[in-house]
Amino acid sequence: MRTPHRMTAQPFPDDHRPNPYDHSYDLRDDPPDRHPNPYDELGALGGAGPLEDFLHEDGPENGPDGPPYEEPDEAWAPPNHRRGSRRRRGHLAGAPFVMKAAVLVVTLAAFLTLADRWALLYAEHRASRTLEDQLHLTAAPEVEIGGFPFLTQLADDRLDSVRVTVPDVAADRVSLAKVSATATRVRLDSDGPADVHGARIPELHGEALLSFDDLNRELGSSQVTFTGHGRDRVRARGTLPVAGHDLGLRADARIRRDGTRGISTHIDGMRLDIGDLATYRPGARASEGLHLTPRSAARLAGQTARARALLSVPSVVHRLGVPDTAVRRALRDDTELASLTGSRTFVRQAMRLNLLDVAAAHPELLKRLGLDPALLDGLSRLTRPVLVDRLSLGFRLPRPADGRIRLRDVRVGRDGIRVDVTGTGLSVGR
């Protein structure tokens, strides 16, 4: 076996390169310029190599006999595969201007509407204060001006419609719960949009309400209630204090128009009940006055003391129409007394007896029948005109300074009495 040995380094000619697999050669022994950079040698090659020929090889469309290849002028861009992209690009290009114009228009319209509404509110408030001062109202009315826009109407000195609602209007003894009216074709009296002095109202239509709740509070003092009964009738039910006694009150009122500015009430069926003992109807007719109730008259058959007291007064016996012989037998025998006072004829005649006439001559007799003399004195002063005045529902509207106000239809509803109102040639302001 041969032993490897180190060979002495010998210079190589320029066209020979050392064998990298020869481990006997040491690169550190060569000078630095012995091995040039291969990239420098590649750059120094002249002429076109195979790679250059491949890159500039003519394509199938531009052969040796075809036209030379020319570079395109436009820059390269990726293809757009969306359909109709060119058409949509044109619409989108104009979108910013359209949006700006739309926003400008909407903003301008909002400012104009805001200014118009502010002017409307100011005009309604000023009109409300003017009406309150001129009509001497207890509360400011509600004014609603119709039509849009308001500023154009104001510039033309006209208003399409004005609705006024006045609460709590005093009308004689009662108060109208609400008067609402709508005026059309109103002409303004002004020296400019900012200086309105008054208005002329050629035509007005409205409604007045006389509320049952207000009638109960003002006329009944929370003891009498009014309710509607039919188209033109009102019922009053409750209690009325007389000489320390609470008497049951029943009355019916018929509502009708009184002239052109008021309504009147015709009250009938009015009576006061003293428990189940007697009934008082004010008036001078035979059916009016103080009379026993059917139940009270029938109970005399079992009330021996009261029956004897009644038959012991000759004037009363004469009014009852009972024969003297029958009276004498009844006063001697209780059985005869019960038979006489229990008959239908006696009961009917006893109910016709006006106890107020008896009280004038025999006040002690009514006391024995269970009636308080002070109550009878109070009833004698509670005449029909007094009761009618206390229950009257009539009222009249105030007369305007100029123009006319008329009441047309009058009807009774569930909540009160309603009256249609019309007006012509009215004016407000100076």
Side-chain angles (χ1 to χ4, degrees):
M1 179 174 174
R2 298 179 62 181
T3 302
H5 61 276
R6 183 181 179 90
M7 297 182 65
T8 305
Q10 298 292 332
F12 292 94
D14 295 337
D15 55 350
H16 292 279
R17 295 185 179 181
N19 187 358
Y21 299 102
D22 188 0
H23 297 283
S24 63
Y25 177 74
D26 191 357
L27 296 177
R28 290 177 298 179
D29 297 336
D30 295 337
D33 56 349
R34 290 292 296 174
H35 304 285
N37 190 346
Y39 295 99
D40 292 340
E41 295 179 357
L42 181 61
L45 294 176
L51 181 61
E52 190 73 14
D53 295 337
F54 174 78
L55 292 177
H56 291 82
E57 184 179 4
D58 294 336
E61 297 182 359
N62 296 320
D65 298 335
Y69 176 79
E70 296 182 358
E71 293 289 336
D73 297 333
E74 297 181 358
W76 179 87
N80 188 354
H81 299 288
R82 293 177 297 177
R83 295 182 179 179
S85 60
R86 181 176 303 176
R87 180 179 56 186
R88 283 195 295 269
R89 191 183 305 118
H91 288 296
L92 294 176
F97 174 77
V98 174
M99 293 179 61
K100 291 179 181 179
V103 171
L104 179 61
V105 170
V106 171
T107 304
L108 181 60
F111 275 108
L112 292 177
T113 303
L114 181 62
D116 185 85
R117 296 299 93 185
W118 181 88
L120 175 66
L121 294 176
Y122 175 78
E124 291 176 345
H125 176 75
R126 184 173 177 180
S128 175
R129 293 303 180 185
T130 301
L131 291 175
E132 181 182 7
D133 295 339
Q134 292 189 355
L135 300 180
H136 306 287
L137 303 175
T138 58
E142 181 181 349
V143 179
E144 299 179 13
I145 301 176
F148 181 83
F150 167 71
L151 292 176
T152 57
Q153 300 181 67
L154 186 62
D156 197 24
D157 288 339
R158 63 169 180 82
L159 296 176
D160 294 340
S161 65
V162 179
R163 180 176 178 82
V164 179
T165 302
V166 185
D168 195 18
V169 180
D172 297 338
R173 297 179 59 252
V174 297
S175 298
L176 300 178
K178 182 175 66 174
V179 177
S180 59
T182 301
T184 56
R185 297 181 290 111
V186 179
R187 303 301 302 180
L188 300 178
D189 182 12
S190 66
D191 294 333
D195 190 9
V196 179
H197 309 295
R200 296 184 298 275
I201 305 173
E203 188 175 3
L204 178 143
H205 297 277
E207 183 182 70
L209 171 64
L210 182 59
S211 173
F212 286 142
D213 292 338
D214 293 340
L215 292 176
N216 298 338
R217 182 179 63 255
E218 297 174 358
L219 299 182
S221 300
S222 301
Q223 295 177 323
V224 178
T225 59
F226 295 86
T227 57
H229 180 61
R231 195 185 192 290
D232 61 347
R233 290 186 176 272
V234 176
R235 285 180 174 176
R237 301 290 187 268
T239 59
L240 186 66
V242 178
H245 298 269
D246 291 333
L247 307 184
L249 173 65
R250 297 170 63 90
D252 295 329
R254 181 179 179 183
I255 309 300
R256 55 189 176 185
R257 190 179 63 177
D258 183 12
T260 60
R261 294 187 299 109
I263 66 172
S264 62
T265 53
H266 177 71
I267 300 178
D268 54 8
M270 182 168 46
R271 79 183 194 191
L272 295 173
D273 295 329
I274 308 173
D276 61 350
L277 179 61
T279 299
Y280 174 71
R281 293 180 175 89
R285 293 181 295 183
S287 60
E288 298 171 341
L290 182 63
H291 299 268
L292 294 174
T293 64
R295 181 178 297 182
S296 178
R299 283 202 302 261
L300 288 175
Q303 298 172 345
T304 305
R306 291 185 178 183
R308 288 181 182 276
L310 189 64
L311 294 177
S312 62
V313 179
S315 59
V316 174
V317 173
H318 178 72
R319 291 170 185 254
L320 292 175
V322 181
D324 293 339
T325 57
V327 171
R328 287 193 294 267
R329 289 196 303 267
L331 293 177
R332 291 193 302 266
D333 188 356
D334 291 345
T335 304
E336 291 289 337
L337 178 63
S339 176
L340 174 63
T341 56
S343 66
R344 294 184 178 179
T345 302
F346 183 85
V347 172
R348 185 168 55 252
Q349 291 299 113
M351 290 174 56
R352 293 179 179 177
L353 185 64
N354 190 346
L355 299 180
L356 289 180
D357 296 338
V358 176
H362 307 281
E364 71 283 355
L365 175 60
L366 297 185
K367 186 175 182 179
R368 295 183 66 178
L369 291 177
L371 296 173
D372 185 3
L375 176 61
L376 299 178
D377 183 62
L379 291 176
S380 62
R381 293 194 300 267
L382 196 61
T383 61
R384 183 177 182 84
V386 173
L387 280 176
V388 168
D389 182 68
R390 294 185 64 171
L391 299 176
S392 177
L393 310 179
F395 67 89
R396 298 186 69 82
L397 291 178
R399 184 185 299 274
D402 54 359
R404 299 178 61 185
I405 292 182
R406 299 173 60 89
L407 298 181
R408 300 182 63 185
D409 185 39
V410 180
R411 61 193 182 279
V412 177
R414 295 175 59 90
D415 54 349
I417 304 171
R418 294 184 178 273
V419 183
D420 290 338
V421 182
T422 60
T424 55
L426 304 174
S427 64
V428 179
R430 73 179 185 183

